[in-house]
Amino acid sequence: MTEERWLDSAHRPDQSSTRPMASLYCAAAFVLGATLCLSFPLKLPIGAFYWDVAVYSDAFHRIGLGQAPALDFFAPVGPLGYYAGFLLDRLFPIAHPLFIANWALLPVVLPLALVVIWQRGARDHALGLLLPFLVLVALPINLSIFYPGPGLDGFGAYNRHAAALLYWLIATLIFVQSARGRTVLVAVFMLALFLTKITGAAVGAILVGYACLAGRLRVMEAGAAALACIAALALLDLPMGLIRAYVGDILTLLRLNSETLLPRLLTVASANFGIVLPASALIGLLLWAEWRSDEGNAWERLRRVVAGPAGWLAAVMAALAVFETQNTGSLEFIGLWPVLYLLLTQWRRQARPFGPVVVVLALAVVLPSLMQSLQRGARALAGMAGDVVALPAPEVGPLGRVSLKRGLAERAELMLQLYPRHAATFAGYADRGLEPSSLFYAEPDNQATWLLEVRQGLLALRDWEAREQRRLNGVFTLDFVEPFNALLGRGPVHGVPLGITPGRNLPPLDERVLASLAATDAILVPKCPLTPARLTLASHYAPALVGRRPVALAPCWDMYVTAR
């Protein structure tokens, strides 16, 4: 089947196809539900890597003080998610930060999605494209499981944002019939991807290039989209140099992350074997079905393969695999659905050889991800009604509004007492590069202990300030995330990374960072427990501790404070 015949089938009306108004009602219901969730002080079940949410809280606090990503703090991703989340946070100040982070890009993505499905060629497939997407982005849930217990994921929000944008870029390339509309939408999605996560933009460029190769997008149209995107970035860069600073951070991250691509691809393939295997089998079957036809010579058959469903499915899967090599937690391979959806509707209409096998393989690719999202979401929300308690951390604000099983909550409080008593044991682990357990950061009880540790430090800081009659101008914590400045309303250090991960985004200290640290009154050292990352950060920032007075602030905290 030629590319024109395959993709043009998306543009032929189908008596059973859904009307776009139904998709508008679904989108409106989704927005209403999200608004209600953001309007109440909900308690949510704590899950793996919950402390990643505090990265967004830190970013929002910095933006509120006038700081800008890349210019004033080292950001691992683009500025769009931070600014969009900041506006959402201001509109819904009591909303749970898990929802803020998860839906930060919803005001950008959802209107663009509605524009896509309203285009000629996509209207008759509107609900089939929108409904699965809304299900997958409804809750902060990644498709990879890092901990077997119920809970909502605190990590991977910006990976999910980029995956959502890629989903609609692919839908645009496949379904939108108007050349002008397709060009404008490609430019907008590429701009959003660049400002969200650079690897998403790189993969988007690969997909746009393949669309040109397959004859779906003219080179002139791709060039116009690229020029429009570059012009928009240039305009955004004019006021402050934000884009140049962002590119500088990207180059720094590339220098700090030198792992080769092949091992990561193998990891992605093995972690998503349930998707990769049926998708590869489906590609093989489509290739064989196309190649065995008697239409044309070998070159014409190759052209049909590139422009047909086998080529598109292989290209999209390969591009998304490259994207997932840079992710920890994401909506893995959801961008396959627009290709598979068209394939399913096409093969359903026609009595063709191997039709049932194609349908079964296509469903085998998409249904596990959809059911995984539904199952994990249902399990997390259903678990809220069992033997579950709220974590006693109201001082931490919305970040502390979490729940977990009673036994895990009791364990979290117990560990906060045991860590100082057995500090030498955990220091011994850390000295040998070992975490207290193999799934330490994914364990909900450990994340709850971290929240209680933050609560202890916050109360101790307030007590110290009252006792010493001194108001600290700012705090820097030698840990993955800095929660205290947002909670205390103080000024954060300039130039330091958000979500510090040694070996990934910890650049060498420069004069600007050292000067900003020197101007900050307090540097906090967490001890419950000592971990390899905390030891590395203490060593990395050791020059900033010189000349400061050590204070035993709390059982889990030491403070290094400047002289008055």
Side-chain angles (χ1 to χ4, degrees):
M1 175 175 286
T2 64
E3 184 267 343
E4 289 81 5
R5 289 166 59 192
W6 182 63
L7 288 181
D8 284 350
S9 67
H11 311 142
R12 292 196 295 268
D14 183 358
Q15 295 300 319
S16 63
S17 63
T18 56
R19 296 182 179 273
M21 286 306 298
S23 63
L24 291 181
Y25 297 145
C26 286
F30 184 91
V31 171
L32 177 61
T35 302
L36 290 174
C37 289
L38 293 170
S39 301
F40 294 96
L42 302 177
K43 288 184 177 68
L44 296 179
I46 193 169
F49 301 94
Y50 177 76
W51 65 351
D52 276 47
V53 176
V55 172
Y56 278 88
S57 300
D58 187 14
F60 301 158
H61 175 62
R62 289 170 176 271
I63 291 172
L65 295 176
Q67 291 192 16
L71 290 170
D72 297 298
F73 55 92
F74 187 90
V77 292
L80 182 59
Y82 295 133
Y83 279 111
F86 169 75
L87 293 176
L88 208 60
D89 186 60
R90 287 297 183 268
L91 284 172
F92 302 97
I94 64 171
H96 201 288
L98 263 176
F99 282 153
I100 293 288
N102 187 57
W103 295 329
L105 238 58
L106 186 65
V108 176
V109 178
L110 193 53
L112 288 175
L114 295 178
V115 172
V116 171
I117 62 177
W118 208 260
Q119 298 295 306
R120 187 161 51 95
R123 292 176 196 166
D124 294 314
H125 308 281
L127 198 59
L129 291 171
L130 185 66
L131 194 56
F133 172 79
L134 293 179
V135 170
L136 289 166
V137 302
L139 292 173
I141 288 174
N142 300 306
L143 296 181
S144 293
I145 300 175
F146 284 79
Y147 186 79
L152 299 178
D153 293 326
F155 66 109
Y158 44 76
N159 298 329
R160 297 194 296 270
H161 297 163
L165 289 166
L166 285 170
Y167 178 99
W168 288 108
L169 173 64
I170 294 164
T172 297
L173 293 172
I174 290 176
F175 285 94
V176 176
Q177 190 173 5
S178 164
R180 180 179 299 176
R182 194 165 55 231
T183 301
V184 171
L185 284 167
V186 165
V188 173
F189 280 120
M190 287 300 298
L191 177 64
L193 281 164
F194 184 89
L195 295 174
T196 300
K197 191 174 185 186
I198 191 62
T199 51
V203 169
I206 293 172
L207 292 167
V208 171
Y210 188 83
C212 292
L213 180 66
R216 183 61 180 159
L217 199 66
R218 296 188 183 94
V219 175
M220 290 286 291
E221 294 167 1
L227 288 175
C229 187
I230 292 170
L233 291 173
L235 289 174
L236 290 173
D237 189 67
L238 284 177
M240 304 182 294
L242 176 65
I243 303 304
R244 280 171 289 166
Y246 173 40
V247 172
D249 280 359
I250 292 168
L251 295 176
T252 300
L253 284 171
L254 288 174
R255 288 194 297 269
L256 294 173
N257 294 269
S258 58
E259 185 180 346
T260 58
L261 185 62
L262 181 58
R264 293 186 178 187
L265 281 172
L266 293 175
T267 300
V268 169
S270 61
N272 298 277
F273 193 68
I275 295 174
V276 173
L277 179 62
S280 300
L282 179 56
I283 292 168
L285 179 60
L286 292 171
L287 284 172
W288 183 73
E290 184 63 56
W291 205 258
R292 69 191 287 270
S293 68
D294 297 327
E295 299 178 15
N297 56 33
W299 173 253
E300 291 173 341
R301 293 180 191 179
L302 178 61
R303 185 179 66 82
R304 289 200 303 270
V305 165
V306 170
W312 272 97
L313 187 58
V316 170
M317 187 172 75
L320 295 178
V322 172
F323 174 65
E324 294 302 334
T325 61
Q326 306 302 312
N327 296 342
T328 302
S330 177
L331 297 174
E332 291 92 340
F333 294 100
I334 67 166
L336 292 173
W337 174 242
V339 185
L340 293 169
Y341 176 63
L342 178 56
L343 187 65
L344 285 168
T345 56
Q346 174 199 93
W347 282 68
R348 178 178 57 83
R349 290 179 183 141
Q350 304 170 7
R352 305 185 62 192
F354 317 112
V357 180
V358 168
V359 171
V360 168
L361 288 175
L363 293 177
V365 175
V366 297
L367 285 181
S369 296
L370 191 62
M371 296 309 298
Q372 175 89 303
S373 180
L374 289 170
Q375 185 265 346
R376 290 198 65 207
R379 189 181 179 205
L381 298 180
M384 296 170 64
D387 187 20
V388 170
V389 297
L391 195 71
E395 296 84 357
V396 187
L399 190 67
R401 291 204 310 262
V402 297
S403 61
L404 68 167
K405 290 186 180 297
R406 185 181 303 276
L408 293 179
E410 293 172 353
R411 176 183 171 85
E413 295 188 58
L414 176 63
M415 293 309 295
L416 197 68
Q417 302 170 23
L418 292 180
Y419 282 138
R421 296 178 193 170
H422 303 277
T425 299
F426 294 100
Y429 278 116
D431 286 337
R432 289 162 177 80
L434 299 174
E435 306 291 352
S437 66
S438 58
L439 297 175
F440 184 63
Y441 298 111
E443 295 167 352
D445 53 309
N446 166 64
Q447 294 296 310
T449 300
W450 172 77
L451 279 171
L452 295 175
E453 184 185 25
V454 170
R455 175 181 179 270
Q456 183 191 94
L458 181 67
L459 295 177
L461 278 170
R462 289 173 175 166
D463 181 67
W464 184 88
E465 287 185 324
R467 191 170 61 252
E468 297 290 326
Q469 296 185 346
R470 178 182 177 183
R471 188 180 190 276
L472 300 169
N473 66 357
V475 172
F476 180 63
T477 304
L478 300 181
D479 205 1
F480 170 73
V481 68
E482 168 50 68
F484 293 106
N485 290 307
L487 293 170
L488 293 168
R490 309 297 164 83
V493 176
H494 286 249
V496 295
L498 294 187
I500 308 175
T501 305
R504 185 180 177 189
N505 67 337
L506 186 60
L509 295 176
D510 56 27
E511 292 301 322
R512 176 197 176 203
V513 173
L514 287 172
S516 184
L517 286 166
T520 301
D521 282 346
I523 296 178
L524 295 180
V525 180
K527 303 185 296 183
C528 290
L530 286 177
T531 63
R534 287 176 169 179
L535 286 182
T536 300
L537 292 178
S539 174
H540 184 82
Y541 288 102
L545 302 180
V546 175
R548 293 174 177 265
R549 177 168 61 93
V551 176
L553 188 66
C556 291
W557 294 94
D558 287 338
M559 178 171 68
Y560 290 81
V561 66
T562 58
R564 283 183 179 270

